Amino acid sequence: IAGITQAPTSQILAAGRRMTLRCTQDMRHNAMYWYRQDLGLGLRLIHYSNTAGTTGKGEVPDGYSVSRANTDDFPLTLASAVPSQTSVYFCATGTGLNEQFFGPGTRLTVL
Amino acid sequence: GQQVMQIPQYQHVQEGEDFTTYCNSSTTLSNIQWYKQRPGGHPVFLIQLVKSGEVKKQKRLTFQFGEAKKNSSLHITATQTTDVGTYFCAGISGGSNYKLTFGKGTLLTVNP
């Protein structure tokens, strides 16, 4: 693994289905983040984790949940997908006040 | 909550022209960061500014942080086609628990 990986790369999902987006890092960064990017709205924080075992809500957390069982993994779960969750999802890592490193993204379409 | 405004939303220039994007925060920032996202890519960190009035340069790019630590700008001199992409500012304010608030970005296109 080099840096941050996200899976899947893209996914088409029926509304109402459950979906987990995966994010794995090998950079040993304490902090991890999930953003969604929508045209004209920029990057909006969904959930974050400052260290393993802790999570927090971002700007747009409704309909999403996360867990941080260890340093490397930070999965994002959509319990029951809705069309408004169609977006590009980026996972990022960081060490707090300094730069964030972004994964390649997952393009999700909910029909 | 904290808001970060960025203008313009779009900018189209001829190659060789200069380009500037501006960022304003509703609250005083601990630091401000700038990212570039190429079309189809992911955001990539460019620079971080921490001090009031700070100016940093990276080749043709000049970054400024305002005296009040509430605004910032990115200026590109003599744009090239490789500068195409969306430029985002992102700020961290005190008490934000290290969360970045991103501006909506400025999409720069360059006509060769």
Side-chain angles (χ1 to χ4, degrees), chain B residues 18-19 31 53-54 57-58 61 68 70 77 83 89 91 94 99:
Chain B
D18 292 356
F19 160 75
N31 71 46
E54 189 169 14
K57 292 191 176 185
Q58 288 180 350
L61 278 61
K70 295 182 73 174
T77 303
D83 294 326
C89 62
K99 292 180 291 184

Side-chain angles (χ1 to χ4, degrees), chain B residues 1-2 10 14 23 40-42 44 47 66-67 69-71 75 77 80 83 86 89 92 94 109 112:
Chain B
Q2 179 187 3
Y10 307 99
Q14 290 292 127
C23 193
H42 59 274
V44 174
I47 208 160
E67 294 290 341
K69 301 184 74 174
K70 295 182 73 174
N71 63 301
H75 180 82
T77 303
Q80 300 175 358
D83 294 326
T86 301
C89 62
I92 295 178
T109 56

Side-chain angles (χ1 to χ4, degrees), chain B:
Chain B
Q2 179 187 3
Q3 291 187 338
V4 175
M5 308 298 182
Q6 191 173 352
I7 58 169
Q9 190 173 1
Y10 307 99
Q11 184 79 58
H12 177 75
V13 300
Q14 290 292 127
E15 190 171 22
E17 291 182 339
D18 292 356
F19 160 75
T20 305
T21 174
Y22 301 90
C23 193
N24 280 284
S25 170
S26 59
T27 60
T28 302
L29 300 171
S30 299
N31 71 46
I32 194 157
Q33 300 175 12
W34 286 90
Y35 292 80
K36 177 183 179 180
Q37 184 178 24
R38 295 182 185 276
H42 59 274
V44 174
F45 174 82
L46 292 176
I47 208 160
Q48 176 174 275
L49 304 170
V50 179
K51 299 176 184 177
S52 170
E54 189 169 14
V55 178
K56 286 189 176 180
K57 292 191 176 185
Q58 288 180 350
K59 297 183 180 178
R60 295 177 294 104
L61 278 61
T62 302
F63 304 84
Q64 294 188 340
F65 200 10
E67 294 290 341
K69 301 184 74 174
K70 295 182 73 174
N71 63 301
S72 182
S73 64
L74 158 59
H75 180 82
I76 302 178
T77 303
T79 54
Q80 300 175 358
T81 55
T82 53
D83 294 326
V84 164
T86 301
Y87 293 85
F88 293 97
C89 62
I92 295 178
S93 62
S96 69
N97 209 12
Y98 305 138
K99 292 180 291 184
L100 277 175
T101 299
F102 279 81
K104 289 183 170 52
T106 297
L107 172 61
L108 172 66
T109 56
V110 180
N111 198 31

Side-chain angles (χ1 to χ4, degrees), chain A residues 7 21 33 41 56-57 65 68 71 81 95:
Chain A
L21 307 185
Y33 310 87
L41 296 178
K57 293 182 179 180
S65 63
R68 187 86 184 277
T71 298
T95 57

Side-chain angles (χ1 to χ4, degrees), chain A residues 74-102:
Chain A
F74 191 42
L76 176 73
T77 297
L78 289 67
S80 178
V82 295
S84 62
Q85 291 177 312
T86 293
S87 188
V88 179
Y89 291 86
F90 288 103
C91 175
T93 71
T95 57
L97 282 175
N98 298 317
E99 66 182 287
Q100 291 186 11
F101 298 84
F102 284 78

